[in-house]
Amino acid sequence: MKQNSFKIHRTLAAGAFFAIISMSLVSCGGGGSTSGADSTAAAGSSDNMITGAGSSFDNPLFSKQFSEYDKANNQKINYQSVGSGAGISQLTAKTVEFGASDAPMNGKQDSALSAPVVHIPITEGAVVISYNLPEVKDTLKITPAVLADIFLGKITKWNDPKIAADNKGVKLPATTITVAHRSDGSGTSNIFTTYLSKVSEEWNTKVGKGSSVNWPVGLGGKGNEGVAGLVKQTPGAIGYIELAYAVQNNMAYAKVQNKAGNFITPSIASVTAAANIQIPADTKVSLTNTDAADGYPISSFSWVIIYKEQKYGDRTLDRATRLVKLLQWMIHDGQQYSSALTYAPLSPAAVSAGDAVLKSVTYDGKPILQ
């Protein structure tokens, strides 16, 4: 009981630690509510408010994009950084106009929908392995096997011989490893567990992949903010977070060995290299464990998801058009804000695929974009 109580307090503390950051990021000039579906539905009643919810992975970029779009177009956007799973749930319930997810919707999620949706690739990013070892000044190297063993609870000390073997010359402390993971349904978790399932048969068999899994060990934090908070305040902690969160909070993160055997630093260039692949018409594709020799192996697209037929409820053609034009701007002009926030701008192939998807969106059966 004492241990469980400790975990709960640690998780709550992490959430509080990043509350101010999260609130400032989601406001975007549009109300900034983070209180759930009811407040989103209320915000949606405003004629000049587009509502969305989901990925915390996307949140730093969305904050900037929505602010700039509002300045140029007088269009308020209320986005809630509640995690990909919650965003999909709110889209399914039609309490928001778009969901954002770091994982495409699966069959079970599709079956809960009242009508078909489409996925628009919105950005490319990296899930990094961040750690809290102030005494270690060198950037650590981590192999797929070691990473899986840490999150399986098989490697419990930082000076374990398996970690030391890839970090020759680095004085590793005997500090106990504390694993930090997401407690909410998360596209970031889906990216990370999909990667682990590809590189570790034991992980694939015992844990598997998904937005929510039964974690073998560790403490849970809500959102990228929560996991970053746990890592930052816990000596010896290791967790997976979006690259922008690590950079903005001056957190250390590892080089990860890719399929070609190279230890790759997550960066705009290495994420772009990972995304140098053919994109299917529905845009649902994974970048994890890329074949690219210079590609970072825990990279991913993130998507905005909307209903393909926009005439539902009391939605007007004007409202639907404003939503589609926002998304069109995000995958074109909005990409200029990516690099400064450590996101990889969409590749030309991804932009082309996104354009094709947006042109398929209709209102009363007729394409919104001509």
Side-chain angles (χ1 to χ4, degrees):
M1 288 298 293
K2 289 182 179 179
Q3 185 179 12
N4 290 338
S5 174
F6 174 75
K7 289 182 180 181
I8 290 170
H9 285 299
R10 294 301 288 272
T11 300
L12 291 176
F17 185 81
F18 276 82
I20 295 174
I21 295 174
S22 179
M23 289 173 66
S24 66
L25 287 172
V26 300
S27 62
C28 305
S33 171
T34 60
S35 59
D38 290 342
S39 63
T40 307
S45 64
S46 169
D47 288 340
N48 194 39
M49 180 78 76
I50 292 174
T51 58
S55 169
S56 60
F57 179 99
D58 295 334
N59 197 32
L61 176 61
F62 281 6
S63 177
K64 179 63 174 177
Q65 286 183 330
F66 295 159
S67 176
E68 295 299 326
Y69 192 78
D70 183 28
K71 290 177 187 177
N73 299 279
N74 189 30
Q75 174 63 70
K76 306 297 182 185
I77 302 102
N78 181 2
Y79 181 74
Q80 298 181 55
S81 173
V82 292
S84 298
I88 289 172
S89 295
Q90 290 193 35
L91 179 69
T92 302
K94 296 182 177 176
T95 55
V96 294
E97 295 170 83
F98 70 90
S101 177
D102 314 321
M105 290 179 65
N106 58 37
K108 183 178 179 180
Q109 291 168 329
D110 287 338
S111 66
L113 294 167
S114 60
V117 296
V118 293
H119 292 64
I120 302 98
I122 214 73
T123 190
E124 299 165 6
V127 175
V128 305
I129 308 306
S130 184
Y131 54 89
N132 183 349
L133 293 173
E135 63 272 54
V136 176
K137 305 305 179 184
D138 300 272
T139 299
L140 292 184
K141 298 176 181 178
I142 295 183
T143 64
V146 165
L147 188 58
D149 280 352
I150 289 173
F151 278 80
L152 284 166
K154 297 173 67 176
I155 293 178
T156 60
K157 297 287 186 180
W158 277 107
N159 62 348
D160 186 282
K162 290 182 179 179
I163 300 176
D166 297 312
N167 293 276
K168 290 180 171 54
V170 178
K171 187 176 180 180
L172 295 168
T175 309
T176 297
I177 296 174
T178 300
V179 169
H181 57 73
R182 291 286 287 270
S183 61
D184 55 329
S186 157
T188 308
S189 290
N190 187 80
I191 296 166
F192 184 57
T193 58
T194 296
Y195 169 73
L196 289 181
S197 292
K198 288 180 178 180
V199 299
S200 168
E201 183 57 36
E202 184 176 2
W203 182 275
N204 187 46
T205 302
K206 291 183 176 179
V207 184
K209 61 184 179 181
S211 299
S212 296
V213 298
N214 292 321
W215 295 96
V217 293
L219 305 177
K222 186 175 181 180
N224 275 282
E225 303 94 334
V227 174
L230 283 170
V231 173
K232 197 165 186 179
Q233 69 178 4
T234 310
I238 186 171
Y240 59 95
I241 55 177
E242 201 279 319
L243 177 59
Y245 284 90
V247 172
Q248 290 173 7
N249 291 286
N250 297 313
M251 299 170 69
Y253 48 90
K255 296 181 179 180
V256 180
Q257 188 181 48
N258 67 9
K259 187 184 290 188
N262 300 317
F263 286 95
I264 304 294
T265 300
S267 66
I268 292 170
S270 61
V271 173
T272 299
N276 187 24
I277 59 174
Q278 186 171 356
I279 301 170
D282 65 5
T283 77
K284 296 181 180 183
V285 64
S286 173
L287 305 180
T288 55
N289 203 32
T290 177
D291 290 325
D294 53 351
Y296 179 68
I298 322 178
S299 300
S300 180
F301 283 122
S302 192
W303 295 263
V304 161
I305 307 169
I306 63 173
Y307 285 97
K308 184 173 184 178
E309 171 54 59
Q310 284 286 299
K311 188 178 182 182
Y312 59 88
D314 59 356
R315 290 176 65 74
T316 63
L317 175 58
D318 175 68
R319 190 172 189 84
T321 300
R322 285 190 282 115
L323 172 62
V324 172
K325 286 187 174 179
L326 166 66
L327 300 180
Q328 186 180 44
W329 178 90
M330 289 173 73
I331 68 173
H332 285 277
D333 293 352
Q335 294 297 304
Q336 68 185 286
Y337 305 108
S338 299
S339 297
L341 294 171
T342 330
Y343 293 83
L346 290 174
S347 65
V351 173
S352 178
D355 278 334
V357 171
L358 286 173
K359 288 177 182 177
S360 74
V361 177
T362 60
Y363 186 88
D364 199 20
K366 298 178 182 178
I368 292 174
L369 294 179
Q370 302 299 323

